Amino acid sequence: MAMEVTQVLLNAQSVDSTIRKHAEESLRQFQEQNLPVFLLSLSGELAGEDKPVDSRKLAGLILKNALDAKEQHRKYELVQRWLALDVAVKSQIKTCLLQTLPSHVPDARSTASQVIAKVAGIELPQKQWPELIGSLLSNIHQVPAHLKQATLETLGYLCEEVSPDVVDQDQVNKILTAVVQGMNANEGNNDVRLAATRALYNALGFAQANFSNDMERDYIMRVACEATLSPDVKIRQAAFECLVSISSTYYEKLAPYIQDIFNITAKAVREDEEPVALQAIEFWSSICDEEIDILEEYGGDFTADSDVPCYYFIKQALPALVPMLLETLLKQEEDQDQDEGAWNLAMAGGTCLGLVARTVGDDIVPLVMPFIEENITKPDWRQREAATYAFGSILEGPSPDKLTPIVNVALNFMLTALTNDPNSHVKDTTAWTLGRIFEFLHGSTVETPIITPANCQQIITVLLQSMNDAPNVAEKACGALYFLAQGFEDVGSSSAITPYFQEIVKSLLNVTDREDAGESRLRTAAYETLNEVVRCSTDETAPMVLQLIPIIMTKLHQTLEAQKLSSDEREKQNELQGLLCGCLQVIIQKLGASEPTKYAFMQFADQIMSLFLRVFACRNATVHEEAMLAIGALAYATGPDFAKYMTELYKYLEMGLQNFEEYQVCAVTVGVVGDICRALEDKILPFCDGIMTQLLKDLSSNQLHRSVKPPIFSCFGDIALAIGENFEKYLMYAMPMLQSAAELSAHTSGADDEMIEYTNLLRNGILEAYSGIFQGFKNSPKTQLLIPYAPHILQFLDSIYMEKDMDDVVMKTAIGVLGDLADTLGSNAGSLIQQSLSCKDFLNECLSSDDHLIKESAEWAKLAIGRAISV
Amino acid sequence: MADEPFVHPRRDPIKSSVGNVAAQRRRQHAITVAKGRREAVVRTKRLCRAGVSGEADDPVTDGSDMMIDAEQSILEDQTCAAVEELKLSMSYQGKGAVQKRVAALRELRRLLSRSEFPPIEAAIKAGAIPLLVQCLSFGSPEEQLLEAAWCMTNIATGKPEETKALLPALPLLIAHLGEKSSLPVAEQCAWAVGNVAGEGEDLRNILLSQGALPPLARMMLPNKGSTVRTAAWALSNLIKGPDPKAATELIRIAGVVEAILRHLRKADEELATEVAWVVVYLSALSNVATSMLVKIDLLQILVERLGASNSLQLLIPVLRSIGNLVAGDDRIASTVLVTGQQITDFVIPALTKCLKSEHRILKKEAAWVMSNIAAGSVEHKKLVYSSEAVPLLLRLLATAPFDIRKEVAYVLGNLCVSPSEGSGRPHLIADHLVSLVSQGCLPGFIDLVRSADIEAARLGLQFIELVLRGIPNGEGVKLVEKEDGIDAMERFQFHENEELRCMATELVDKYFGEDYGVED
């Protein structure tokens, strides 16, 4: 029943676009008209040893894409479609796939491996294809090395696709045995050994039980360590990747091996090829990640409640580890600062050094200082750069007490280097280091200030000078200025940089106009720094912030006038529009926060709004998102008068709410609807039918990203608060939605941390909706409309209380809902409330909470319940 | 598919562009700001209603709708106007002067009770304090006193420097606590004084030096529910210490001990809760108070309350009081909690109830009290050991959060040793030890050894020592090895704490030294 598809598949790869398009169209039609035969034909093609390799590869690729997709809902559809296929067809396809594994064509084997894993990913959780793993394992003992290699590759992909809990321990043991045997030094064939090593990487997640058994663990670790010594560089790299993965998955089992691993990694870092050395460094970075997490959990004295104890591997390895990392810093590449994707030994070494500093704190300082002192003044730029980089890397972690005296000495040196060093590499790292100094050692919480009125002027002068340096240096200088400004947040009416405000703004605007501002992300850095300078500015400079508005508006206006752009130019234009909208958002937020500045700002409101409306005409997700955020700030500042913009804005709100694909736009728009509700109150009523329709559609869609759903529920609450009893007509739609979402989110048993976190977000959204609705109806003659919903809401509160996994935010919102329910329904709900668990145990727990917001909500609830019951 | 499908993982470099992070943060900030505004709207609506409904004399519809969403600045303007109005009314001498003053005060009080951020600062700046002090002068009409004290109560909830602005008013507020005042006025003043005392040690000392304690104490003597509750609450703020002098002074005031006893015996749970908090501070700070309270059988009543109540608010101070008393006076175990007495039989089930509760603090404090009882005589140990608490304790040791586990470990550890004479090693109670270990408590202790908390680690090590020494036929050594105890102890090889390092090394050397395993 299969059809001959070789020629079509070859044509689909033709250089002639007419032939190619025609072939693609035929394939699409074939798929639509008869999926089973289509898939069968593809699998036959893939298995056909006499077929051309190109058609076999494409056949496999199309098969793979018929089984899996990136988008969640599409993936779900494909899985359902496969499961619904006729059993005989599926079994024929699977036979073809398995028959391809012994092929002599490497590409065919590899493609088949991946398709088999995809099918397994669908079928094994359904308890289908039970014989798969057994038949793969039987291949292992076959003679041809290439079959063994293909089988190990398949097992590796399979472990990647399938969750460990659907494979029983007996089979896991057999898979691991096969994989580890394949990795063994006795295995003469390098392809087999490489496939086995890569398979182990994916299979580690299956090895929980085996890692708990001393003998099995010793064996796996020995083989993995031996593989790092293989003559084949790819095997060594893959073996180190296994060790990296083990370091995070099985940290608590590492103690017996850590000394050996140190020796292996140290040798690799010093002597091996770069891809291998990078993974060896990554091993220690990963250990740092683990220990930072554990020590963070230790935290205060009372919560020494970590599941895993800290073994202080980094602390013990410190005297040897730090010199090894410092050596790597001298292995820079000439132009790594211009290349955004660069990653080399020096970069990895410095990154690891930074993590080590965060892990051990003060102890690292005496080990690094001699290196800095020895190298920082050397004639070779590599030495000066490495010394500076080392210094910048250890600024997070050690205590200010330890660092401040050193930084006080170093600061002047750094400023001179940034001005005078002949090498742009050194200047780049120097500016970055200054930024790190300001980020971690400057701010209102730091006891001994690094920045004083005496040195502030010099610092700013040097940084502003560097704005004219090479793009990468100027970009780092912007970063330094960003953190310098941030440190002056919350200092009151005047800060040390206030006198330089105008000069700073002018320099940053000049940078944004530089011809080469597109390089090294310089323009973005300049705008974001300008935003931070504005955000952290004081009242004194408000008039200058006001003057910025026409300048930014003019720039935005210019981008809108540009015509007939190439797609490359358009992309740059869009990026700029996003930055300008972001800048306006910060300015609006800043000036809108106090009465006098808000009043002065309002003269620009009409013009700004008309610019934003024009921006919406350009279709770009980031720009929409930024413009929407700015509009939210504008609505808050404008208040009820914002109504005059609604007629024109409305269609863009609707567009935003319909944007399923770029769900961030949808999420931001939902938030802005909330802002507008608070600004307009009942004046939003004429637009509510449209908005509610759209929100309800969003909720029923399975295409919309789930993260948007909680804010949509909160938005129901915002609308109800704004329009009060007029929400009546939406009750019959909104309440059932809330109710079914509440039922889904009441229980989380068996969910992982991520799912619990999402569930809590969802609960919070639902509860905010209920609060808004109750508060909106308060004192209206229509409160009785809500009585039928009360039993379910109370039940929801009881069940999330009993589930014992809500976070503080949900707790506060939940107890508030109890109060709002009692407050609005009064004696109508008195007896219902008294029967609930929430009004006793839950309320008591909240009343004695340490969190004063929870306590406050609880006290409110107690008062409201008291009244509801007493009447 | 010529490219390798295998992706090599890599991390972000430490040296990166500021732009990416900054844009992310900026957007997040914008969203957080909007969320904050939503919360402010909801809170303001609730707090307004709470304020308005607290007063029976005002109709709910007194135009408060307009106020609800008032911007802070409008609120501040109105506050300034209200203070001006008050100033005018003070100089007005004609007909209806009192009503005018009371109306002005009431307006100010309403503004101060109204929003999420009451305009306290604006009121102070506008000069409200001297006017309010003037309103408190002796012989003023009751309603005026009440409203003025109420304003001050609200001002005292502000920031520390705002509370301090009330300094000139304190002598008068204290004066109105006396018996000559009407109960509502005295109660309102007590409330204000309590808020001031809650602000910090400095203000507490000032209040004490100005004589706030005796009149508040006397307010606690009668049986008037709400007055006693407010006075007790204010007192508990006032005697918080850390100086124990106030607590000692309070307990010596005639009638206070009896009043505490009486209220705790008879009062409803809400009142009993406030009184229990007074007892918490008395017993935590003052030895004099502790011994007086012990003498009057207070423990008996506290234990009864602990057994009878299900109110978390009440259980916490009651339990803490019991703990303070038991820990503070070693004679209690031998004089009050005598085995065979009814109270002694009663206390264990009451504590067991708390251990079973869902509430973390309650569990922890109950375990703490029980560890003090288990530290008593051999009879006490037998009593705890044979109670229903033991299986519960064993379960908590295995599953509870760290701080509870630690307290529980003290209980179980205390059950296994008898008081030692001199400074030698404690004597074992072998049958307790063998039975508790056979019920699986050893892993829990070994877990403690692994914790970062020095005290807990020491406790764990001490217990391991007991097991190694006390389980017969060398079974202890095998058990410790089987539960990974050696590994746990070896972690101390590099430990900063010398005592623990020596303890662990000594144990490993003594029991798992070179000869270990030779005979097997």
Side-chain angles (χ1 to χ4, degrees), chain B residues 28-98:
Chain B
Q28 202 49 51
H29 182 73
I31 290 164
T32 315
V33 167
K35 275 190 189 152
R37 285 179 187 144
R38 170 185 301 135
E39 229 159 74
V41 170
V42 171
R43 281 181 75 196
T44 318
K45 291 207 170 183
R46 286 179 188 155
L47 289 177
C48 272
R49 265 175 227 150
V52 170
S53 56
E55 37 191 274
D57 54 340
D58 286 331
V60 182
T61 52
D62 65 351
S64 62
D65 282 349
M66 196 197 77
M67 278 299 306
I68 285 172
D69 300 300
E71 294 286 340
Q72 196 66 15
S73 58
I74 302 177
L75 199 60
E76 283 167 10
D77 293 346
Q78 288 176 335
T79 306
C80 292
V83 173
E84 278 312 305
E85 186 58 35
L86 179 61
K87 201 179 282 172
L88 281 178
S89 73
M90 300 297 283
S91 53
Y92 180 74
Q93 297 293 340
K95 197 172 162 229
V98 173

Side-chain angles (χ1 to χ4, degrees), chain B residues 38 135 148 152 163 234 243 260 305 327 332 347 377 383 399 415 437 460:
Chain B
R38 170 185 301 135
C135 289
M152 293 189 176
T163 310
D243 191 339
I260 289 176
R305 277 282 184 181
I332 280 205
V347 73
S377 69
L383 181 73
T399 57
L415 289 181
V437 170

Side-chain angles (χ1 to χ4, degrees), chain A residues 512-539:
Chain A
T512 66
D513 289 334
R514 274 174 63 153
E515 293 255 328
D516 55 0
E519 293 170 32
S520 297
R521 299 183 52 74
L522 176 57
R523 184 173 287 117
T524 306
Y527 274 116
E528 292 300 350
T529 303
L530 179 62
N531 293 340
E532 196 66 359
V533 169
V534 168
R535 192 179 71 80
C536 302
S537 65
T538 62
D539 292 345

Side-chain angles (χ1 to χ4, degrees), chain A residues 607-744:
Chain A
Q607 285 170 277
I608 292 184
M609 194 62 201
S610 71
L611 277 173
F612 287 155
L613 290 172
R614 288 181 62 194
V615 164
F616 282 127
C618 322
R619 312 201 166 248
N620 176 285
T622 317
V623 181
H624 279 211
E625 211 183 319
E626 295 284 10
M628 270 298 169
L629 280 175
I631 285 175
L634 187 67
Y636 178 77
T638 318
D641 286 345
F642 192 81
K644 62 180 171 182
Y645 306 125
M646 279 305 285
T647 334
E648 276 189 273
L649 176 63
Y650 177 74
K651 67 174 172 194
Y652 298 112
L653 287 177
E654 201 165 64
M655 258 169 59
L657 294 177
Q658 285 165 345
N659 198 340
F660 287 169
E661 263 110 77
E662 289 138 343
Y663 67 90
Q664 291 95 336
V665 177
C666 186
V668 165
T669 312
V670 171
V672 170
V673 170
D675 287 328
I676 296 175
C677 285
R678 283 183 285 281
L680 295 190
E681 303 219 320
D682 55 357
K683 284 190 190 163
I684 199 170
L685 193 56
F687 306 96
C688 282
D689 283 355
I691 292 173
M692 280 302 291
T693 310
Q694 213 46 62
L695 291 177
L696 290 164
K697 263 194 208 161
D698 286 351
L699 284 176
S700 352
S701 155
N702 57 7
Q703 283 177 51
L704 184 62
H705 195 271
R706 67 176 191 177
S707 69
V708 191
K709 299 198 172 173
I712 291 180
F713 286 124
S714 305
C715 191
F716 282 179
D718 295 333
I719 293 172
L721 269 174
I723 64 174
E725 60 180 16
N726 291 308
F727 197 79
E728 176 190 353
K729 59 176 166 176
Y730 309 125
L731 280 179
M732 59 178 292
Y733 307 103
M735 283 305 205
M737 286 264 188
L738 284 163
Q739 187 159 341
S740 62
E743 270 155 24
L744 275 176

Side-chain angles (χ1 to χ4, degrees), chain A residues 159-207:
Chain A
C159 290
E160 196 179 9
E161 291 295 330
V162 176
S163 135
D165 53 354
V166 304
V167 183
D168 56 57
Q169 187 59 40
D170 180 46
Q171 290 199 315
V172 168
N173 291 342
K174 286 179 181 154
I175 293 175
L176 279 168
T177 308
V179 167
V180 178
Q181 268 172 11
M183 279 177 76
N184 204 307
N186 303 332
E187 174 57 56
N189 184 307
N190 273 352
D191 292 339
V192 171
R193 211 173 163 201
L194 179 61
T197 312
R198 287 180 175 171
L200 179 67
Y201 180 84
N202 287 326
L204 283 168
F206 286 64

Side-chain angles (χ1 to χ4, degrees), chain A residues 228 236-237 239-241 243-244 247 261-287 321 324-325 328 345 348 352:
Chain A
T228 67
R236 295 201 300 277
Q237 184 184 10
F240 272 114
E241 279 165 8
L243 288 181
V244 170
S247 72
I261 296 179
F262 180 82
N263 295 337
I264 296 171
T265 51
K267 194 168 150 52
V269 170
R270 293 198 166 103
E271 296 167 17
D272 211 327
E273 290 177 47
E274 187 169 69
V276 183
L278 285 176
Q279 288 306 321
I281 294 176
E282 181 58 26
F283 174 84
W284 292 101
S285 292
S286 164
I287 294 281
L321 183 60
M324 172 185 95
L325 293 173
T328 65
L345 219 51
C352 186

Side-chain angles (χ1 to χ4, degrees), chain A residues 5 9 27 37-47 59-60 62-63:
Chain A
V5 284
L9 288 168
L27 285 170
V37 177
F38 178 66
L39 296 178
L40 209 53
S41 310
L42 290 173
S43 62
E45 184 75 18
L46 177 61
I62 298 175
L63 262 178

